[in-house]
């Protein structure tokens, strides 16, 4: 009879510990997000440059993001060997998947301001290596300004450059904010939060 009570107490203690840990972690996370949003407002971030999505990218293989390419972008530094041209095309095209409607999307890389900046820097520092550097920079600089008004055309241009199969993978339109949010939740992250 005593061992049942002891076992019950051990299980109850474990459950309370786990529950308490999750509660504390959630509160800390909410505090971090709130502080980050306050810092952005205090630092004078413009309304049109407001960050809408924050992601912890799932590189465990559980998400559909292409972790090989996204990690290479995130780790690239000035002076490192640049991506070959067809890889730049593929990376930008996979980033466009977040914002387009298409029957088929192979691979995805989440669009972040940091990734856009890294790609712009890489291309500008290595223009001689890219026959189509003007096209890449035109697309990325528009995206950096938050202009995704022709992202479907951008995607299809890049797909044609790669010899991709149209119309199967062609963009047929631009995703609404709700469609993009759904795509982000489905594809990219362990955690995706809206910051308002």
């Amino acid at each position: 009879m005593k061992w049942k009570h002891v076992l019950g107490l051990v299980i109850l203690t474990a459950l309370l510990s786990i529950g308490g840990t999750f509660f504390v972690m959630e509160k800390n996370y909410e505090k971090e997000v709130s502080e980050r949003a306050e810092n952005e407002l205090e630092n004078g971030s413009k309304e049109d440059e407001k960050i809408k999505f924050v992601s912890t990218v799932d590189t465990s293989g559980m998400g559909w993001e292409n972790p090989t390419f996204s990690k290479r972008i995130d780790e690239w530094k000035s002076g490192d060997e640049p991506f070959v041209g067809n890889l730049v095309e593929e990376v930008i095209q996979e980033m466009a998947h977040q914002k387009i409607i298409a029957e088929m999307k192979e691979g995805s890389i989440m669009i972040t301001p940091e990734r856009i900046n890294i790609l712009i820097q890489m291309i500008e520092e290595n223009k001689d290596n890219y026959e189509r550097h003007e096209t890449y920079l035109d697309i990325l600089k528009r995206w950096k300004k938050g202009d995704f008004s022709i992202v479907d055309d951008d995607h299809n241009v890049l797909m044609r450059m790669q010899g991709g199969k149209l119309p199967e993978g062609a963009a047929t339109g631009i995703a609404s904010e709700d469609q993009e949010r759904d795509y982000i939740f489905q594809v990219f992250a362990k955690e995706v939060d809206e910051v308002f």
Side-chain angles (χ1 to χ4, degrees), residues 172-189:
T172 57
I174 299 174
S176 69
E177 191 171 316
D178 287 340
Q179 289 170 319
E180 181 180 358
R181 183 179 293 114
D182 289 345
Y183 187 77
I184 288 171
F185 273 99
Q186 289 174 2
V187 173
F188 290 117

Side-chain angles (χ1 to χ4, degrees), residues 116-124 137 140-141 144:
I116 290 172
N117 288 335
I118 289 168
L119 288 168
I120 289 172
Q121 180 183 1
M122 180 190 298
I123 294 162
E124 286 179 339
L137 289 173
L140 291 167
K141 286 182 178 182
K144 182 176 180 170

Side-chain angles (χ1 to χ4, degrees), residues 60-188:
S60 69
M62 297 300 287
W64 296 342
E65 180 164 61
N66 185 334
T68 304
F69 293 166
S70 59
K71 187 174 179 183
R72 283 183 65 190
I73 297 167
D74 295 342
E75 293 177 352
W76 189 85
K77 304 224 179 327
S78 180
D80 288 351
E81 186 174 324
F83 295 176
V84 293
N86 62 345
L87 181 56
V88 171
E89 291 163 9
E90 187 171 344
V91 163
I92 299 171
Q93 180 202 355
E94 288 187 11
M95 290 170 77
H97 287 170
Q98 175 180 328
K99 299 249 180 214
I100 64 163
I101 298 169
E103 187 176 315
M104 183 178 77
K105 300 177 185 179
E106 290 184 16
S108 291
I109 297 174
M110 184 173 228
I111 297 171
T112 66
E114 294 82 12
R115 289 179 179 165
I116 290 172
N117 288 335
I118 289 168
L119 288 168
I120 289 172
Q121 180 183 1
M122 180 190 298
I123 294 162
E124 286 179 339
E125 288 181 8
N126 299 284
K127 286 181 183 177
D128 295 341
N129 296 337
Y130 302 118
E131 182 179 323
R132 299 176 174 132
H133 69 273
E134 290 173 356
T135 302
Y136 306 152
L137 289 173
D138 177 55
I139 292 169
L140 291 167
K141 286 182 178 182
R142 235 182 315 105
W143 291 5
K144 182 176 180 170
K145 293 176 188 174
D147 180 1
F148 294 94
S149 60
I150 58 170
V151 68
D152 51 344
D153 292 334
D154 296 337
H155 173 272
N156 292 344
V157 163
L158 292 163
M159 195 168 190
R160 281 187 200 98
M161 285 179 183
Q162 297 174 335
K165 297 176 186 172
L166 295 175
E168 294 154 351
T172 57
I174 299 174
S176 69
E177 191 171 316
D178 287 340
Q179 289 170 319
E180 181 180 358
R181 183 179 293 114
D182 289 345
Y183 187 77
I184 288 171
F185 273 99
Q186 289 174 2
V187 173
F188 290 117

